Amino acid sequence: MPARTLRGRFLRPRADQRTFDDLPDALLISDETGRIVSFEPTPPGSGVPVTLPGVVWMPGFVDAHVHFPQTRVVGRSSGGLLTWLERTVFPEEARFDRGAYADEVAAEFCKALITHGTTTAAIYGSSHPLATSKLFAALDRSNLRAMAGLTLMDRGAPPVLCMPADTALLACEALIEQWHGVDDGRLRFCVTPRFAVSCTPDLLRRAGALAARYDLPVQTHLSETLDEIAAVAQAFPGHASYLDVYAAFGLVGTRTVLGHCVHLSATEWDALAASGAAVAHCPDSNAFLGSGVMSLADATARGVRVGLGTDVGAGRSFSLRRTCAAAYDAALSRGARIGPDEALWLATVGGARALGLEAEVGLLEPGFACDLAAHDVPAGLDTDALFDHLAFRAEVGSVKNVYVRGRRAV
Ligand code: GUN
Ligand code: FE
Protein backbone atom coordinates (compact mmCIF):
# COMPACT_ATOMS: atom_id res chain seq x y z
CA MET A 1 0.00 0.00 0.00
CA PRO A 2 1.49 3.37 -0.91
CA ALA A 3 2.24 5.99 1.69
CA ARG A 4 0.46 9.15 0.58
CA THR A 5 0.98 12.85 0.77
CA LEU A 6 -2.04 14.95 -0.08
CA ARG A 7 -2.02 18.70 -0.33
CA GLY A 8 -5.12 20.85 -0.67
CA ARG A 9 -8.09 22.39 1.09
CA PHE A 10 -9.40 20.18 3.91
CA LEU A 11 -12.41 20.17 6.19
CA ARG A 12 -11.07 18.75 9.44
CA PRO A 13 -13.78 17.66 11.90
CA ARG A 14 -13.54 18.78 15.48
CA ALA A 15 -13.59 15.99 18.04
CA ASP A 16 -15.82 17.74 20.56
CA GLN A 17 -17.99 20.10 18.50
CA ARG A 18 -20.25 19.30 15.58
CA THR A 19 -18.33 21.34 13.05
CA PHE A 20 -15.13 21.43 11.01
CA ASP A 21 -12.05 23.58 10.71
CA ASP A 22 -11.55 24.82 7.17
CA LEU A 23 -7.87 24.47 6.30
CA PRO A 24 -7.31 26.25 2.98
CA ASP A 25 -3.93 24.65 2.37
CA ALA A 26 -2.92 21.62 4.39
CA LEU A 27 -0.64 18.64 4.03
CA LEU A 28 -1.83 15.19 5.06
CA ILE A 29 0.69 12.37 5.21
CA SER A 30 -0.30 8.74 5.69
CA ASP A 31 1.92 5.69 6.11
CA GLU A 32 1.89 2.39 4.25
CA THR A 33 -0.77 1.00 6.62
CA GLY A 34 -3.12 3.82 5.57
CA ARG A 35 -2.94 5.65 8.89
CA ILE A 36 -2.49 9.38 9.17
CA VAL A 37 1.00 10.27 10.32
CA SER A 38 0.75 14.02 10.23
CA PHE A 39 -1.75 16.63 9.20
CA GLU A 40 -0.99 20.33 9.40
CA PRO A 41 -1.09 23.57 7.45
CA THR A 42 1.31 23.30 4.54
CA PRO A 43 4.62 24.75 5.69
CA PRO A 44 6.04 27.56 3.55
CA GLY A 45 8.27 26.29 0.77
CA SER A 46 7.09 22.67 1.12
CA GLY A 47 7.44 22.15 -2.61
CA VAL A 48 4.57 19.59 -2.62
CA PRO A 49 2.17 20.29 -5.50
CA VAL A 50 -1.57 20.65 -4.83
CA THR A 51 -2.91 17.11 -5.30
CA LEU A 52 -6.18 17.87 -7.10
CA PRO A 53 -6.93 21.51 -7.83
CA GLY A 54 -10.57 22.54 -7.29
CA VAL A 55 -11.51 20.01 -4.64
CA VAL A 56 -12.08 20.02 -0.93
CA TRP A 57 -11.02 16.93 1.00
CA MET A 58 -13.08 15.66 3.88
CA PRO A 59 -13.56 12.39 5.74
CA GLY A 60 -15.47 9.79 3.74
CA PHE A 61 -19.15 9.67 4.55
CA VAL A 62 -20.49 6.99 6.88
CA ASP A 63 -23.89 5.67 5.83
CA ALA A 64 -25.24 4.40 9.14
CA HIS A 65 -28.24 2.61 7.60
CA VAL A 66 -28.66 1.32 4.06
CA HIS A 67 -30.34 -1.70 2.45
CA PHE A 68 -28.29 -3.52 -0.20
CA PRO A 69 -31.19 -5.40 -1.85
CA GLN A 70 -33.14 -2.17 -2.36
CA THR A 71 -30.56 -0.70 -4.73
CA ARG A 72 -32.84 -1.11 -7.74
CA VAL A 73 -36.02 0.20 -6.11
CA VAL A 74 -34.70 3.57 -4.94
CA GLY A 75 -37.43 6.16 -5.17
CA ARG A 76 -40.28 3.69 -5.84
CA SER A 77 -43.30 5.06 -4.02
CA SER A 78 -46.14 2.74 -3.11
CA GLY A 79 -47.36 3.90 0.28
CA GLY A 80 -46.40 4.00 3.93
CA LEU A 81 -43.87 1.61 5.45
CA LEU A 82 -45.85 -1.62 5.76
CA THR A 83 -47.57 -1.23 2.37
CA TRP A 84 -44.31 -0.22 0.69
CA LEU A 85 -42.53 -3.26 2.16
CA GLU A 86 -45.22 -5.54 0.80
CA ARG A 87 -45.64 -3.95 -2.63
CA THR A 88 -42.18 -2.66 -3.49
CA VAL A 89 -39.54 -4.14 -1.24
CA PHE A 90 -40.37 -7.79 -0.68
CA PRO A 91 -40.86 -8.60 -4.39
CA GLU A 92 -37.48 -7.03 -5.19
CA GLU A 93 -35.67 -8.64 -2.25
CA ALA A 94 -37.08 -12.02 -3.36
CA ARG A 95 -34.94 -11.78 -6.52
CA PHE A 96 -31.81 -12.18 -4.42
CA ASP A 97 -32.38 -15.91 -4.18
CA ARG A 98 -30.36 -15.91 -7.42
CA GLY A 99 -26.66 -15.50 -6.79
CA ALA A 100 -26.07 -14.00 -10.24
CA TYR A 101 -28.60 -11.23 -9.56
CA ALA A 102 -26.96 -10.50 -6.20
CA ASP A 103 -23.56 -10.29 -7.88
CA GLU A 104 -24.77 -7.71 -10.39
CA VAL A 105 -26.52 -5.56 -7.82
CA ALA A 106 -23.62 -5.81 -5.34
CA ALA A 107 -21.35 -4.21 -7.93
CA GLU A 108 -23.90 -1.42 -8.54
CA PHE A 109 -24.32 -0.92 -4.81
CA CYS A 110 -20.59 -0.55 -4.12
CA LYS A 111 -20.21 1.80 -7.06
CA ALA A 112 -23.08 3.95 -5.78
CA LEU A 113 -21.46 4.26 -2.35
CA ILE A 114 -18.11 5.26 -3.80
CA THR A 115 -19.43 7.74 -6.36
CA HIS A 116 -21.22 9.55 -3.53
CA GLY A 117 -18.13 9.75 -1.35
CA THR A 118 -19.20 7.10 1.15
CA THR A 119 -16.37 5.03 2.59
CA THR A 120 -18.15 3.18 5.40
CA ALA A 121 -21.65 1.71 5.58
CA ALA A 122 -23.85 -0.25 7.97
CA ILE A 123 -25.69 -2.49 5.57
CA TYR A 124 -28.80 -4.64 5.74
CA GLY A 125 -27.85 -7.53 3.49
CA SER A 126 -30.16 -9.88 1.72
CA SER A 127 -32.21 -12.48 3.59
CA HIS A 128 -30.42 -15.00 1.39
CA PRO A 129 -27.04 -16.20 2.69
CA LEU A 130 -25.45 -16.58 -0.73
CA ALA A 131 -26.49 -13.06 -1.79
CA THR A 132 -25.15 -11.65 1.48
CA SER A 133 -21.85 -13.43 0.93
CA LYS A 134 -21.72 -11.92 -2.58
CA LEU A 135 -22.26 -8.51 -1.01
CA PHE A 136 -19.30 -9.06 1.33
CA ALA A 137 -17.16 -10.19 -1.59
CA ALA A 138 -18.03 -7.05 -3.56
CA LEU A 139 -17.28 -4.84 -0.54
CA ASP A 140 -13.98 -6.61 -0.12
CA ARG A 141 -13.01 -6.08 -3.76
CA SER A 142 -14.16 -2.45 -3.67
CA ASN A 143 -12.03 -1.75 -0.64
CA LEU A 144 -14.99 -0.26 1.23
CA ARG A 145 -15.35 -0.40 5.01
CA ALA A 146 -18.60 -1.95 6.21
CA MET A 147 -20.57 -3.84 8.71
CA ALA A 148 -23.28 -5.97 7.15
CA GLY A 149 -25.54 -8.83 8.08
CA LEU A 150 -28.01 -11.37 6.86
CA THR A 151 -31.41 -9.68 7.17
CA LEU A 152 -33.26 -11.98 9.55
CA MET A 153 -36.96 -12.71 9.06
CA ASP A 154 -39.00 -15.73 10.02
CA ARG A 155 -42.48 -14.32 9.65
CA GLY A 156 -44.50 -11.48 8.16
CA ALA A 157 -42.96 -11.71 4.68
CA PRO A 158 -43.29 -14.02 1.64
CA PRO A 159 -41.88 -17.52 2.34
CA VAL A 160 -38.96 -17.00 -0.06
CA LEU A 161 -37.66 -14.27 2.29
CA CYS A 162 -38.26 -16.13 5.54
CA MET A 163 -35.84 -18.57 7.08
CA PRO A 164 -36.42 -20.63 10.22
CA ALA A 165 -34.25 -19.56 13.13
CA ASP A 166 -32.14 -22.75 13.07
CA THR A 167 -31.12 -22.35 9.45
CA ALA A 168 -30.67 -18.60 9.69
CA LEU A 169 -28.37 -18.85 12.69
CA LEU A 170 -26.22 -21.49 11.01
CA ALA A 171 -26.00 -19.25 7.94
CA CYS A 172 -24.92 -16.34 10.16
CA GLU A 173 -22.17 -18.48 11.69
CA ALA A 174 -20.88 -19.38 8.25
CA LEU A 175 -20.86 -15.71 7.20
CA ILE A 176 -19.08 -14.75 10.43
CA GLU A 177 -16.49 -17.42 9.79
CA GLN A 178 -15.92 -16.23 6.25
CA TRP A 179 -16.19 -12.45 6.57
CA HIS A 180 -16.11 -11.10 10.10
CA GLY A 181 -12.87 -9.21 10.70
CA VAL A 182 -11.55 -9.54 7.15
CA ASP A 183 -8.71 -7.16 6.25
CA ASP A 184 -7.93 -6.18 9.81
CA GLY A 185 -11.57 -5.43 10.65
CA ARG A 186 -12.44 -3.47 7.51
CA LEU A 187 -15.41 -5.83 7.12
CA ARG A 188 -17.51 -6.85 10.08
CA PHE A 189 -20.58 -9.01 10.49
CA CYS A 190 -23.54 -7.30 12.11
CA VAL A 191 -26.48 -9.19 13.62
CA THR A 192 -29.44 -7.81 11.66
CA PRO A 193 -32.95 -8.79 12.71
CA ARG A 194 -35.02 -6.75 10.24
CA PHE A 195 -37.51 -5.49 12.83
CA ALA A 196 -39.70 -7.02 15.51
CA VAL A 197 -42.65 -7.36 13.11
CA SER A 198 -40.74 -9.85 10.95
CA CYS A 199 -39.14 -11.88 13.75
CA THR A 200 -40.54 -14.40 16.21
CA PRO A 201 -39.46 -14.18 19.86
CA ASP A 202 -37.34 -17.28 19.28
CA LEU A 203 -35.45 -15.67 16.40
CA LEU A 204 -34.86 -12.46 18.36
CA ARG A 205 -33.61 -14.43 21.36
CA ARG A 206 -31.15 -16.38 19.25
CA ALA A 207 -30.01 -13.27 17.43
CA GLY A 208 -29.26 -11.66 20.80
CA ALA A 209 -27.35 -14.76 21.92
CA LEU A 210 -25.34 -14.79 18.68
CA ALA A 211 -24.33 -11.15 19.15
CA ALA A 212 -23.25 -11.88 22.71
CA ARG A 213 -21.32 -15.05 21.79
CA TYR A 214 -19.24 -13.37 19.08
CA ASP A 215 -19.29 -9.84 20.51
CA LEU A 216 -20.93 -8.46 17.36
CA PRO A 217 -22.68 -5.22 16.52
CA VAL A 218 -26.47 -5.32 16.12
CA GLN A 219 -28.71 -3.25 13.87
CA THR A 220 -32.46 -3.08 13.53
CA HIS A 221 -35.39 -0.69 13.03
CA LEU A 222 -37.15 1.01 15.92
CA SER A 223 -40.36 3.06 16.06
CA GLU A 224 -40.42 4.21 12.46
CA THR A 225 -44.18 4.44 11.96
CA LEU A 226 -47.31 4.32 14.12
CA ASP A 227 -48.71 1.28 12.23
CA GLU A 228 -45.51 -0.60 12.84
CA ILE A 229 -45.54 0.27 16.54
CA ALA A 230 -49.14 -1.01 16.80
CA ALA A 231 -48.16 -4.26 15.05
CA VAL A 232 -45.27 -4.76 17.48
CA ALA A 233 -47.49 -4.12 20.50
CA GLN A 234 -49.88 -6.75 19.21
CA ALA A 235 -47.17 -9.33 18.41
CA PHE A 236 -45.25 -8.75 21.65
CA PRO A 237 -47.79 -8.05 24.39
CA GLY A 238 -46.55 -7.32 27.87
CA HIS A 239 -43.53 -5.23 26.99
CA ALA A 240 -43.16 -1.72 28.34
CA SER A 241 -42.18 -0.34 24.93
CA TYR A 242 -40.94 -1.28 21.46
CA LEU A 243 -37.35 -0.74 22.65
CA ASP A 244 -38.08 -3.07 25.55
CA VAL A 245 -38.92 -5.88 23.10
CA TYR A 246 -35.39 -5.76 21.69
CA ALA A 247 -33.89 -5.28 25.15
CA ALA A 248 -35.71 -8.34 26.48
CA PHE A 249 -33.92 -10.46 23.86
CA GLY A 250 -30.46 -9.08 24.56
CA LEU A 251 -30.33 -6.92 21.45
CA VAL A 252 -29.80 -3.50 23.00
CA GLY A 253 -26.43 -2.25 24.21
CA THR A 254 -23.55 -0.04 23.26
CA ARG A 255 -22.95 -2.01 20.05
CA THR A 256 -26.54 -1.56 18.82
CA VAL A 257 -27.57 0.84 16.05
CA LEU A 258 -31.28 1.62 15.97
CA GLY A 259 -32.69 2.96 12.71
CA HIS A 260 -35.31 5.74 12.59
CA CYS A 261 -36.47 6.27 16.23
CA VAL A 262 -39.19 8.64 15.01
CA HIS A 263 -41.91 8.06 17.57
CA LEU A 264 -40.23 7.88 20.96
CA SER A 265 -41.58 9.38 24.16
CA ALA A 266 -39.27 11.21 26.55
CA THR A 267 -39.23 8.08 28.71
CA GLU A 268 -38.19 5.94 25.74
CA TRP A 269 -35.45 8.40 24.81
CA ASP A 270 -34.25 8.17 28.42
CA ALA A 271 -34.21 4.37 28.24
CA LEU A 272 -32.42 4.43 24.90
CA ALA A 273 -29.79 6.81 26.26
CA ALA A 274 -29.32 4.68 29.37
CA SER A 275 -28.76 1.59 27.21
CA GLY A 276 -25.86 3.24 25.37
CA ALA A 277 -27.30 2.30 21.96
CA ALA A 278 -26.76 4.56 18.95
CA VAL A 279 -29.29 5.96 16.48
CA ALA A 280 -29.25 5.97 12.68
CA HIS A 281 -31.21 9.08 11.72
CA CYS A 282 -32.84 8.56 8.29
CA PRO A 283 -34.62 11.84 7.55
CA ASP A 284 -35.03 11.48 3.78
CA SER A 285 -36.56 8.03 4.14
CA ASN A 286 -38.84 9.30 6.91
CA ALA A 287 -40.06 12.06 4.61
CA PHE A 288 -40.54 9.75 1.61
CA LEU A 289 -42.62 7.17 3.48
CA GLY A 290 -44.43 9.80 5.57
CA SER A 291 -43.14 8.12 8.72
CA GLY A 292 -42.73 11.29 10.77
CA VAL A 293 -39.82 13.43 11.89
CA MET A 294 -37.22 12.18 14.36
CA SER A 295 -36.29 14.55 17.16
CA LEU A 296 -32.54 14.97 16.79
CA ALA A 297 -32.66 17.38 19.73
CA ASP A 298 -33.95 14.62 22.03
CA ALA A 299 -30.99 12.44 21.09
CA THR A 300 -28.48 15.26 21.36
CA ALA A 301 -29.75 16.47 24.72
CA ARG A 302 -29.17 12.99 26.18
CA GLY A 303 -25.77 12.43 24.61
CA VAL A 304 -27.05 9.62 22.36
CA ARG A 305 -24.65 8.88 19.50
CA VAL A 306 -26.27 9.69 16.14
CA GLY A 307 -25.22 8.89 12.59
CA LEU A 308 -27.03 9.63 9.36
CA GLY A 309 -28.48 6.90 7.15
CA THR A 310 -29.63 7.19 3.58
CA ASP A 311 -31.90 4.18 4.22
CA VAL A 312 -31.85 3.40 0.51
CA GLY A 313 -34.35 2.37 -0.90
CA ALA A 314 -36.80 4.29 1.25
CA GLY A 315 -34.18 7.03 1.07
CA ARG A 316 -34.24 8.47 -2.43
CA SER A 317 -30.51 8.74 -2.91
CA PHE A 318 -27.20 7.20 -1.94
CA SER A 319 -25.97 10.73 -1.29
CA LEU A 320 -25.21 11.56 2.32
CA ARG A 321 -25.14 15.17 1.13
CA ARG A 322 -28.85 14.85 0.33
CA THR A 323 -29.39 13.18 3.66
CA CYS A 324 -27.70 16.18 5.30
CA ALA A 325 -30.20 18.48 3.61
CA ALA A 326 -33.04 16.27 4.82
CA ALA A 327 -31.63 16.31 8.36
CA TYR A 328 -31.52 20.09 8.23
CA ASP A 329 -35.16 20.25 7.05
CA ALA A 330 -36.23 17.76 9.72
CA ALA A 331 -34.57 19.74 12.50
CA LEU A 332 -36.08 23.02 11.28
CA SER A 333 -39.55 21.52 11.08
CA ARG A 334 -39.26 20.58 14.76
CA GLY A 335 -38.15 24.09 15.65
CA ALA A 336 -34.61 22.97 16.47
CA ARG A 337 -32.39 24.37 13.72
CA ILE A 338 -29.03 22.78 13.05
CA GLY A 339 -26.30 24.12 10.78
CA PRO A 340 -25.18 22.37 7.60
CA ASP A 341 -21.81 21.79 9.27
CA GLU A 342 -23.53 19.88 12.07
CA ALA A 343 -25.30 17.69 9.51
CA LEU A 344 -22.01 17.02 7.70
CA TRP A 345 -20.35 16.19 11.01
CA LEU A 346 -23.10 13.68 11.82
CA ALA A 347 -22.59 12.15 8.34
CA THR A 348 -18.90 11.56 9.12
CA VAL A 349 -17.78 11.59 12.77
CA GLY A 350 -21.30 10.95 14.09
CA GLY A 351 -21.66 7.83 11.95
CA ALA A 352 -18.20 6.54 12.84
CA ARG A 353 -18.99 6.83 16.55
CA ALA A 354 -22.46 5.32 16.13
CA LEU A 355 -20.90 2.28 14.44
CA GLY A 356 -18.23 1.83 17.11
CA LEU A 357 -15.41 2.97 14.81
CA GLU A 358 -14.49 6.05 16.84
CA ALA A 359 -10.87 4.96 17.30
CA GLU A 360 -10.15 4.58 13.60
CA VAL A 361 -12.62 6.57 11.50
CA GLY A 362 -14.09 10.06 11.33
CA LEU A 363 -11.44 12.40 12.64
CA LEU A 364 -8.42 13.42 10.59
CA GLU A 365 -5.79 13.11 13.27
CA PRO A 366 -2.57 11.11 13.54
CA GLY A 367 -3.46 7.46 14.10
CA PHE A 368 -6.80 7.66 12.31
CA ALA A 369 -7.36 5.91 9.01
CA CYS A 370 -6.93 7.86 5.80
CA ASP A 371 -10.61 7.42 4.78
CA LEU A 372 -11.21 10.42 2.55
CA ALA A 373 -13.16 11.78 -0.38
CA ALA A 374 -12.37 14.76 -2.61
CA HIS A 375 -15.42 16.82 -3.55
CA ASP A 376 -15.40 19.14 -6.54
CA VAL A 377 -16.44 22.58 -5.34
CA PRO A 378 -16.74 25.95 -7.05
CA ALA A 379 -13.78 28.27 -6.54
CA GLY A 380 -13.88 31.02 -3.98
CA LEU A 381 -16.37 29.69 -1.44
CA ASP A 382 -15.79 30.95 2.06
CA THR A 383 -16.26 28.48 4.93
CA ASP A 384 -19.99 29.05 5.45
CA ALA A 385 -20.66 28.94 1.71
CA LEU A 386 -18.70 25.69 1.52
CA PHE A 387 -20.84 24.04 4.23
CA ASP A 388 -23.99 25.28 2.47
CA HIS A 389 -22.74 24.03 -0.87
CA LEU A 390 -21.92 20.56 0.41
CA ALA A 391 -25.19 20.14 2.29
CA PHE A 392 -27.62 21.85 -0.06
CA ARG A 393 -26.21 21.54 -3.59
CA ALA A 394 -25.71 17.80 -3.73
CA GLU A 395 -26.41 17.73 -7.46
CA VAL A 396 -23.47 20.04 -8.21
CA GLY A 397 -19.98 18.63 -8.65
CA SER A 398 -18.61 15.15 -8.46
CA VAL A 399 -16.56 13.10 -6.06
CA LYS A 400 -13.00 12.54 -7.21
CA ASN A 401 -10.66 10.35 -5.18
CA VAL A 402 -12.08 8.08 -2.53
CA TYR A 403 -9.65 6.37 -0.17
CA VAL A 404 -10.13 3.83 2.58
CA ARG A 405 -7.00 3.39 4.69
CA GLY A 406 -5.14 5.30 2.03
CA ARG A 407 -6.09 2.82 -0.70
CA ARG A 408 -8.32 3.78 -3.57
CA ALA A 409 -11.93 2.53 -3.30
CA VAL A 410 -12.91 1.16 -6.70
N1 GUN B 1 -38.57 -1.61 8.55
C1 GUN B 1 -38.42 -2.93 8.30
N2 GUN B 1 -37.83 -3.13 7.12
C2 GUN B 1 -37.59 -1.91 6.60
C3 GUN B 1 -36.99 -1.46 5.39
O1 GUN B 1 -36.55 -2.23 4.54
N3 GUN B 1 -36.93 -0.11 5.21
C4 GUN B 1 -37.40 0.76 6.13
N4 GUN B 1 -37.30 2.06 5.90
N5 GUN B 1 -37.98 0.36 7.28
C5 GUN B 1 -38.07 -0.96 7.50
FE1 FE C 1 -34.21 0.78 6.87
Side-chain angles (χ1 to χ4, degrees):
M1 205 176 310
R4 285 190 188 284
T5 299
L6 301 172
R7 178 179 177 183
R9 184 177 186 181
F10 279 83
L11 286 179
R12 177 170 63 188
R14 293 201 186 154
D16 50 3
Q17 274 175 301
R18 292 177 170 181
T19 191
F20 298 76
D21 291 313
D22 180 9
L23 308 178
D25 183 6
L27 208 54
L28 182 146
I29 300 172
S30 60
D31 64 17
E32 61 290 342
T33 72
R35 285 191 173 64
I36 297 171
V37 178
S38 74
F39 182 40
E40 55 192 15
T42 305
S46 81
V48 178
V50 171
T51 308
L52 279 174
V55 305
V56 62
W57 296 87
M58 62 181 292
F61 287 126
V62 177
D63 192 339
H65 184 123
V66 58
H67 295 260
F68 154 58
Q70 296 173 18
T71 301
R72 289 190 175 175
V73 291
V74 175
R76 298 294 306 279
S77 60
S78 58
L81 172 64
L82 300 180
T83 308
W84 171 79
L85 284 176
E86 199 179 301
R87 293 196 187 151
T88 299
V89 170
F90 292 155
E92 174 62 15
E93 293 198 0
R95 301 199 167 97
F96 289 75
D97 64 342
R98 285 184 40 235
Y101 189 74
D103 253 338
E104 259 178 52
V105 180
E108 287 171 26
F109 176 80
C110 292
K111 185 173 178 198
L113 295 182
I114 295 163
T115 56
H116 290 91
T118 298
T119 49
T120 297
I123 307 167
Y124 288 65
S126 167
S127 298
H128 299 100
L130 177 63
T132 301
S133 191
K134 301 248 183 217
L135 166 68
F136 272 111
L139 291 162
D140 193 24
R141 284 193 299 273
S142 299
N143 194 36
L144 285 160
R145 190 191 293 276
M147 63 183 210
L150 184 72
T151 294
L152 300 171
M153 293 195 267
D154 67 346
R155 65 165 158 183
V160 60
L161 290 174
C162 289
M163 191 177 269
D166 279 340
T167 326
L169 270 288
L170 282 173
C172 287
E173 302 226 16
L175 288 165
I176 292 165
E177 175 74 23
Q178 192 179 4
W179 294 111
H180 183 60
V182 159
D183 194 17
D184 198 18
R186 178 166 60 83
L187 301 181
R188 292 184 299 159
F189 185 86
C190 181
V191 177
T192 308
R194 180 174 214 126
F195 66 159
V197 177
S198 61
C199 300
T200 60
D202 181 49
L203 180 58
L204 291 180
R205 183 175 304 108
R206 296 218 214 165
L210 181 77
R213 181 155 10 107
Y214 291 95
D215 192 23
L216 297 172
V218 173
Q219 60 185 347
T220 189
H221 295 84
L222 179 71
S223 293
E224 182 176 357
T225 73
L226 298 174
D227 290 358
E228 169 208 8
I229 293 166
V232 172
Q234 195 170 36
F236 294 87
H239 288 272
S241 68
Y242 190 166
L243 178 66
D244 185 51
V245 172
Y246 293 136
F249 297 111
L251 288 161
V252 182
T254 55
R255 311 211 56 198
T256 305
V257 185
L258 298 164
H260 298 278
C261 301
V262 172
H263 302 280
L264 298 184
S265 65
T267 317
E268 289 173 287
W269 274 116
D270 289 343
L272 196 162
S275 77
V279 168
H281 179 27
C282 305
D284 186 61
S285 161
N286 294 338
F288 186 56
L289 296 181
S291 306
V293 182
M294 191 194 91
S295 172
L296 177 61
D298 268 306
T300 302
R302 291 167 176 81
V304 173
R305 289 169 296 140
V306 178
L308 295 188
T310 62
D311 195 27
V312 153
R316 288 162 289 193
S317 167
F318 278 94
S319 170
L320 260 309
R321 290 175 63 186
R322 281 214 31 195
T323 310
C324 283
Y328 177 90
D329 296 348
L332 270 190
S333 79
R334 295 195 68 115
R337 173 187 291 274
I338 62 169
D341 52 337
E342 177 165 358
L344 292 160
W345 190 94
L346 292 173
T348 51
V349 183
R353 290 181 180 173
L355 272 47
L357 296 169
E358 64 283 343
E360 194 180 359
V361 181
L363 300 180
L364 301 181
E365 306 289 345
F368 278 76
C370 185
D371 286 18
L372 290 172
H375 297 264
D376 253 344
V377 292
L381 299 180
D382 65 22
T383 304
D384 285 340
L386 178 60
F387 292 142
D388 285 341
H389 178 84
L390 288 168
F392 304 131
R393 301 300 310 280
E395 78 284 9
V396 179
S398 60
V399 176
K400 288 277 164 46
N401 293 25
V402 179
Y403 297 115
V404 173
R405 287 190 189 141
R407 278 188 302 182
R408 202 67 178 263
V410 284

